[in-house]
Amino acid sequence: MSTKKKSLSIWLILVSGMLTGMGNGSVFGATLMCLMGRGGFSNWGGSAWMAYDPSTFTGFIDEAMIVFGIAFCGILYVGLNRHYKLEGDAA
């Protein structure tokens, strides 16, 4: 596999993996909000650093979005590496 393909696939993995994963994380957050409301969270969260505090509802969802994004980057990394191996065997 050429170095150019690898460098292009890194951007593909980062951009599309984070976009897809964070989108799915936000759907997870919306589902959680619909099913349990605020539940055990004493604070909704909001602006500045409270938006990333996992003890607040908004912070929990933001953390979930980041975790989902990183997980999707890992899934794309494995998938594209296997694709390039198959493509190399065919050529």
Side-chain angles (χ1 to χ4, degrees):
M1 175 167 70
S2 71
T3 309
K4 183 163 177 81
K5 279 187 182 178
K6 276 192 175 182
S7 65
L8 289 176
S9 67
I10 286 176
W11 287 110
L12 176 72
I13 288 169
L14 289 176
V15 172
S16 60
M18 287 303 283
L19 283 174
T20 304
M22 291 184 81
N24 286 339
S26 68
V27 171
F28 168 76
T31 304
L32 187 68
M33 184 174 65
C34 289
L35 291 176
M36 67 179 259
R38 283 179 49 185
F41 297 101
S42 61
N43 191 346
W44 183 260
S47 61
W49 290 108
M50 283 193 75
Y52 298 99
D53 180 9
S55 66
T56 65
F57 184 79
T58 304
F60 176 75
I61 299 308
D62 287 346
E63 295 288 329
M65 288 171 57
I66 292 169
V67 168
F68 274 59
I70 292 169
F72 271 77
C73 285
I75 290 167
L76 274 175
Y77 176 77
V78 170
L80 282 176
N81 276 337
R82 289 184 181 180
H83 170 75
Y84 286 138
K85 284 182 186 175
L86 288 173
E87 189 179 83
D89 291 342

